[in-house]
Amino acid sequence: MAKVRLQKILADAGIASRRKCEEIILEGDVRVNREVVDQLPAFADPETDRITYMGRKIRSETKVYFLLNKPKGVLCTSSDPLNRKKAIDFVPVKQRVFCVGRLDKQTTGAIIITNDSELANRLTHPRYELPKTYEILVKGQLDGESIEKLKKGIWLSEGKTKRSIIKVLHRGPNETLLEMTIFQGKNRQVRRMLARLDFKVKRLKRTKIGNISLKGVGIGNFKQLTGKQITYLRKATKLEERKEQK
């Protein structure tokens, strides 16, 4: 196996996030073949080199992949000083897992949870980001003009959003139910797009990430991703292609 960045090896072993692992290396707590490594960049072969942290040999963790139906009020973070409920708390596994991207506290629905930092980095990179589908209950009646503006893109502080796909599921006298697919992941993007048109979101749920659906997964429950779904994610982010080239 080719040598890879030492911080990635540590992160993949569940020591900490990749950024935190860089700090750990600089503090001199990591040895490769009994030699202290305290400078970056640093590389090692996880299959042939002996890598230790605080005297403990590093072993790569088995990769795990889950889809959680996040409840309202739950945080997509790895730690919280106020000890509030986190999405990762719903997936009881021994591996150190984390959320891929984020849903804000009030938004429910699909979030991928894994310990595969390489795939997670690709899935959140603007170059590879998968389409995400939401079900949105909006206060008021959304007219055709507003829907066309959403489809074409809305100007936000960091630029114009990409084109989106909109489907009206129900239009009542006081509220509108939409299905919306976006192709980027700006912070609180859906809420901000509708706010620019003076519409308030009453309920927001992410129903799909790419072609991976929440169907059959109750609120607060999770399912393990299938091999086919993992391959789909890897191909969508060019990881499978890179693996084949090696």
Side-chain angles (χ1 to χ4, degrees):
M1 182 176 179
K3 288 185 179 291
V4 296
R5 291 185 182 275
L6 188 55
Q7 63 266 37
K8 180 183 181 305
I9 297 172
L10 296 175
D12 287 348
I15 300 300
S17 67
R18 194 177 297 195
R19 183 169 294 178
K20 180 63 178 176
C21 285
E22 291 178 356
E23 296 175 11
I24 288 171
I25 292 167
L26 294 174
E27 288 167 0
D29 293 328
V30 179
R31 291 174 181 259
V32 177
N33 300 325
R34 296 185 172 82
E35 296 290 332
V36 173
V37 178
D38 57 5
Q39 293 184 352
L40 294 172
F43 300 86
D45 186 332
E47 293 185 4
T48 61
D49 291 331
R50 177 182 172 83
I51 305 165
T52 59
Y53 167 58
M54 301 291 285
R56 181 169 63 89
K57 187 175 180 181
I58 298 301
R59 300 181 185 278
S60 295
E61 284 188 323
T62 301
K63 298 291 188 293
V64 292
Y65 308 84
F66 303 97
L67 182 72
L68 172 71
N69 188 344
K70 185 187 89 67
K72 187 176 181 180
V74 171
L75 304 178
C76 291
T77 184
S78 295
S79 62
D80 178 58
L82 300 179
N83 202 30
R84 290 170 292 184
K85 195 71 172 177
K86 305 183 295 296
I88 57 176
D89 296 335
F90 288 83
V91 185
V93 291
K94 63 180 181 180
Q95 291 90 341
R96 177 189 169 276
V97 293
F98 46 84
C99 296
V100 179
R102 296 194 176 203
L103 291 176
D104 66 61
K105 186 178 176 182
Q106 301 306 313
T107 300
T108 67
I111 186 84
I112 292 174
I113 294 179
T114 184
N115 61 343
D116 188 338
S117 57
E118 187 173 24
L119 179 60
N121 289 337
R122 288 292 185 104
L123 286 172
T124 53
H125 193 286
R127 181 178 177 186
Y128 301 108
E129 221 159 20
L130 293 177
K132 297 175 182 69
T133 302
Y134 294 83
E135 186 177 282
I136 316 157
L137 184 63
V138 180
K139 184 178 180 180
Q141 279 197 345
L142 226 68
D143 56 21
E145 182 181 355
S146 296
I147 290 172
E148 285 304 310
K149 287 180 179 178
L150 290 170
K151 286 181 178 180
K152 292 177 180 178
I154 300 292
W155 282 98
L156 302 177
S157 59
E158 63 269 51
K160 190 176 182 181
T161 62
K162 294 180 181 178
R163 294 181 66 88
S164 58
I165 299 171
I166 309 285
K167 181 180 179 181
V168 178
L169 302 177
H170 175 75
R171 187 183 274 120
N174 300 312
E175 57 188 26
T176 307
L177 185 64
L178 301 173
E179 182 183 83
M180 181 176 182
T181 300
I182 61 175
F183 297 87
Q184 58 194 139
K186 296 181 184 295
N187 183 40
R188 297 172 61 87
Q189 180 175 330
V190 173
R191 294 182 188 277
R192 291 167 64 206
M193 288 174 70
L194 284 155
R196 291 287 290 181
L197 300 177
D198 295 322
F199 287 99
K200 181 180 179 180
V201 173
K202 297 178 68 175
R203 187 176 71 238
L204 180 59
K205 177 181 180 180
R206 187 157 70 189
T207 57
K208 289 175 71 177
I209 299 173
N211 67 5
I212 299 176
S213 170
L214 265 185
K215 188 176 181 181
V217 183
I219 191 76
N221 293 326
F222 66 91
K223 69 176 181 180
Q224 193 166 355
L225 295 186
T226 64
K228 184 176 181 181
Q229 289 172 328
I230 296 166
T231 299
Y232 159 73
L233 293 174
R234 293 182 67 85
K235 285 186 174 179
T237 57
K238 310 298 182 185
L239 278 177
E240 200 68 23
E241 179 182 295
R242 199 174 105 185
K243 180 181 174 183
E244 291 169 359
Q245 288 173 352
K246 286 182 177 179

